[in-house]
Structures are given as C-alpha cells and as structure tokens.
Amino acid sequence: MIAIESGSVWNSGIVHAIWNVVIIGGGLAIGEKMDKYSIMTYVLNSKDFAITGGEYGIESSVISLFGYIIVAGIAFFMIKSRKN
C-alpha cells in the first residue's frame, strides 16, 4: 500500500527495513516468554501456537495472517479502483 500510494517501491523498502530493525534487531519482542535481549518485551498469556506463532514469533500467528489478508485486500481494491 505504501508503494501504491507513494508511487515508489523505495518507501515501502524503508518501512520494511525499520520493521526488521525493531523486531529482529531486538527493539521489540512479542511472544510466549521474556526476551532478555530486547529493549521491550510483551509476553502473550497463551501457549497456543495459532495465537503466539511459537518459536517463529507473532509474525507467523493466525492473528498476523488475518492482518496480512486485510492489508492485501485493501491494496487489491485500491489498485482495482484506480484502474476504473
């Protein structure tokens, strides 16, 4: 959606890089247990893989999957409406 709105793939690349630094680089951890290496940690009060994403983290949970589908749907409709 960022690339569509801005007209450049570079802007979405920058947002993706920032996301990687925050999540992978240890700025924020969301999961089943505390991460002593992260600056901020949010511990989910569940052991269900569908909610927590297990070892892979919140990005692989069903909650995130629904978010990805919603964003992809919005992008699809934005592209379709511009073509009309």
Side-chain angles (χ1 to χ4, degrees):
M1 287 175 50
I2 294 168
I4 292 168
E5 286 298 314
S6 68
S8 172
V9 72
W10 288 105
N11 295 327
S12 59
I14 291 168
V15 170
H16 183 74
I18 291 169
W19 176 260
N20 284 348
V21 168
V22 169
I23 296 295
I24 297 171
L28 173 66
I30 302 172
E32 298 175 325
K33 56 187 173 190
M34 288 290 293
D35 183 0
K36 64 181 179 180
Y37 301 108
S38 292
I39 295 169
M40 292 177 16
T41 301
Y42 183 81
V43 177
L44 297 169
N45 204 13
S46 175
K47 300 294 182 198
D48 187 7
F49 179 82
I51 295 173
T52 65
E55 293 179 18
Y56 302 105
I58 194 73
E59 291 178 313
S60 62
S61 70
V62 172
I63 296 166
S64 295
L65 179 63
F66 285 129
Y68 303 146
I69 291 169
I70 290 168
V71 169
I74 291 169
F76 173 77
F77 287 115
M78 287 175 69
I79 292 169
K80 190 168 175 115
S81 68
R82 288 206 176 155
K83 287 184 178 180
N84 292 337

